[in-house]
Amino acid sequence: MAAAKTNNNNDSSALRELKDTIKTQAAEIDRLKNELVKNGIPLAAKKKVVVPSGGHAHGAADNEDILDYKEKSSFSIAYERVPWLAVFLFSLSFTALIMNGFEHTLSKQIELAYFVPLMAGHGGNTGGQAVGTVLSALSAGIITRQDAAKVIGKEATSGLIMGVMLGALVGPISHYVMGISKHVATVVSVTFPLLSTIAAFLGSSLPFVCVILGLDPAVIAAPAMTSFVDVTGLLCYFLIANQVFKAFGLEL
């Protein structure tokens, strides 16, 4: 009997110690969760997934919102997107106005026209990388609206660095390999850093603007970035060309 009582007491003691350990660990877990929330770090255990979704000012959507896309018809998707595409198509008409405004410059330096598609493509590629990166980070909950200034500054700076590197590469190649005149090659080299900075700035800022306004950045950010970059990039290209040609003593 004494041995049985001793065993029961040992079992009770071990059970109490186990319960105390569980309570201590639970309290520690709660404390760590509170610290993560306080520091703005999202908890992976949450049931909601942060995605760039319209109709939610913070871009948060539950699984029903995500699965809703699978149920939409092609017509519904087109109906939702075509108004924005029409707006951006209209804004792209400004590129024709810019080309017309600098028609005299193009007639004097036809080589400038060779690089217009290159500039438009590079601006779209640079801005597209920024848009994709920011949208992915917003979707994963890695960044929030409060990180906008830091993210935009980082992306714009990286755009400037990439532009300097590519400009230093494309300019000499166009002159020494393709036979492009030195003054036009200089225009290309000088335009690349500014174009890359503008594209990265717009590509990283537009998703945040869409989220703040409660719009869908997945639908709006990329085409808006492309339209704005095409217009501003082309304008900068011709304005820089005029200044470079003057520096070379060329008449326009």
Side-chain angles (χ1 to χ4, degrees):
M1 292 290 293
K5 288 184 179 180
T6 301
N7 289 334
N8 289 336
N9 290 334
N10 290 338
D11 291 342
S12 299
S13 178
L15 186 58
R16 281 196 300 269
E17 290 180 4
L18 181 59
K19 289 181 178 180
D20 292 339
T21 302
I22 292 174
K23 289 181 180 179
T24 302
Q25 290 178 345
E28 182 66 16
I29 290 173
D30 290 337
R31 185 185 66 80
L32 291 174
K33 284 182 177 180
N34 291 332
E35 287 186 6
L36 289 174
V37 172
K38 189 182 298 182
N39 293 329
I41 302 175
L43 298 178
K46 287 186 176 179
K47 295 295 183 181
K48 287 196 173 184
V49 180
V50 181
V51 297
S53 169
H56 294 271
H58 298 283
D62 55 28
N63 292 332
E64 291 182 2
D65 295 320
I66 299 171
L67 296 175
D68 184 52
Y69 172 76
K70 296 177 65 176
E71 305 300 326
K72 287 184 178 179
S73 65
S74 299
F75 179 80
S76 298
I77 294 174
Y79 183 78
E80 291 177 0
R81 296 179 182 178
V82 73
W84 289 107
L85 292 176
V87 171
F88 300 137
L89 184 63
F90 174 76
S91 67
L92 284 172
S93 64
F94 287 105
T95 59
L97 296 176
I98 294 172
M99 295 286 287
N100 185 62
F102 289 93
E103 183 179 4
H104 181 69
T105 302
L106 281 171
S107 64
K108 291 285 187 178
Q109 302 292 334
I110 191 63
E111 289 178 330
L112 283 174
Y114 301 161
F115 294 95
V116 169
L118 177 68
M119 293 295 171
H122 172 67
N125 292 338
T126 304
Q129 287 180 331
V131 167
T133 301
V134 173
L135 285 180
S136 297
L138 283 171
S139 300
I142 298 172
I143 59 175
T144 63
R145 291 191 304 178
Q146 287 69 32
D147 301 310
K150 181 180 179 181
V151 171
I152 294 171
K154 181 192 297 185
E155 288 290 339
T157 302
S158 68
L160 174 61
I161 296 171
M162 291 186 294
V164 170
M165 296 171 65
L166 292 174
L169 182 66
V170 174
I173 289 177
S174 64
H175 176 61
Y176 293 106
V177 178
M178 300 172 58
I180 301 296
S181 59
K182 185 177 292 185
H183 50 277
V184 172
T186 302
V187 172
V188 173
S189 293
V190 174
T191 304
F192 257 83
L194 180 60
L195 176 60
S196 298
T197 304
I198 293 173
F201 172 81
L202 290 174
S204 57
S205 61
L206 285 173
F208 287 108
V209 173
C210 292
V211 169
I212 292 171
L213 296 178
L215 303 174
D216 189 349
V219 173
I220 300 172
M225 177 277 303
T226 303
S227 300
F228 295 152
V229 168
D230 284 350
V231 173
T232 57
L234 195 60
L235 181 61
C236 291
Y237 179 52
F238 285 116
L239 290 176
I240 290 173
N242 282 342
Q243 297 303 315
V244 170
F245 293 162
K246 288 179 182 179
F248 275 86
L250 299 174
E251 293 185 4
L252 297 176

